[in-house]
Amino acid sequence: MILPIVAYGAPVLRTVCKDIQPDYPQLGKFIEDMWETMYASSGVGLAAPQVNKDIRIFVMDSTQIFAGMNEDEKKSYTDAPGIKQVFINAHLEELEGKEWAYNEGCLSIPKIREDIYRNETVTIRYVDEQFQPHTQTFSGITARVILHEYDHIEGKLFIDYLKPLKRRLIKGKLEDISKGKVSVDYKMTFPR
Ligand code: NI
């Protein structure tokens, strides 16, 4: 089932999400719906608060980004061909490597893209769908997508990294998004 995506301005996008227990009702179905929703909206990642649940789950698929690259482009990243994975109860362990810029967007903030600096490498602790614990290190585009989605479960958005001037320049657009004055080809809910 495709779920509506929550637009910028909704309080759930500013909530620090909670860990879940293995008996969380209909977890398998919810994760299935997250995948379906992410692909239906051409996203490379989706976090639970974006579908109005304040729990620590996100799905991501960096293979989609590599699929659109030529062989030379792929060579500049250490993590090609990317991964497709669900992260439950994720907690950041360590950030390493130098910060690099990448043009990011977000399904909750349509039509806005900005260059955002993030660390090259992330070590993250999480459980899989069987609630088996993992601690894993990711880099490149994969780390980029993970960090963007991880921010969502911490109540942060990519626009938070913009300098005040840049932020002021997009203020009107953000206001419009929260009021539904934006055209998108996927289902959304708007806070105002
Ligand atoms: Ni996002």
Side-chain angles (χ1 to χ4, degrees):
M1 188 175 65
I2 295 172
L3 308 167
I5 291 177
V6 172
Y8 175 83
V12 69
L13 294 178
R14 291 309 196 181
T15 305
V16 177
C17 296
K18 300 182 290 266
D19 280 340
I20 58 162
Q21 299 303 315
D23 63 352
Y24 187 84
Q26 296 209 287
L27 179 62
K29 163 77 173 138
F30 177 63
I31 291 168
E32 213 175 280
D33 290 347
M34 284 187 74
W35 284 121
E36 198 181 339
T37 304
M38 185 189 87
Y39 289 120
S41 50
S42 305
V44 295
L46 182 73
Q50 293 183 279
V51 289
N52 209 24
K53 290 250 191 284
D54 61 348
I55 55 176
R56 297 183 87 86
I57 301 183
F58 60 86
V59 296
M60 55 78 63
D61 181 359
S62 54
T63 68
Q64 292 186 101
I65 299 175
F66 286 109
M69 286 185 190
N70 63 39
E71 289 309 311
D72 273 351
E73 277 179 291
K74 277 182 203 168
K75 275 182 200 147
S76 56
Y77 296 100
T78 52
D79 61 309
I83 61 158
K84 176 188 164 174
Q85 203 165 301
V86 51
F87 292 82
I88 301 170
N89 297 350
H91 294 273
L92 203 141
E93 290 279 307
E94 201 172 3
L95 287 170
E96 289 166 288
K98 68 173 199 318
E99 295 197 343
W100 62 294
Y102 186 80
N103 198 249
E104 293 189 24
C106 181
L107 293 173
S108 295
I109 316 173
K111 308 276 167 81
I112 293 180
R113 296 198 71 93
E114 296 289 347
D115 285 341
I116 302 298
Y117 281 85
R118 295 186 194 270
N119 287 91
E120 160 73 15
T121 302
V122 58
T123 300
I124 198 163
R125 169 166 56 87
Y126 64 96
V127 300
D128 59 28
E129 281 170 276
Q130 284 71 46
F131 277 78
Q132 293 304 303
H134 302 270
T135 300
Q136 239 180 311
T137 300
F138 302 93
S139 64
I141 297 265
T142 300
R144 167 69 53 164
V145 179
I146 289 170
L147 285 171
H148 177 112
E149 299 312 323
Y150 182 81
D151 271 355
H152 275 300
I153 62 169
E154 287 285 308
K156 291 185 211 153
L157 299 168
F158 79 96
I159 51 165
D160 299 348
Y161 296 98
L162 298 176
K163 296 211 165 73
L165 174 65
K166 203 71 183 257
R167 186 75 185 258
R168 232 174 297 146
L169 287 172
I170 62 164
K171 196 168 177 266
K173 278 194 204 171
L174 291 174
E175 198 102 315
D176 283 350
I177 291 169
S178 68
K179 291 176 188 157
K181 286 197 248 167
V182 63
S183 108
V184 282
D185 54 9
Y186 48 89
K187 224 193 322 174
M188 291 194 91
T189 52
F190 302 95
R192 280 184 250 164

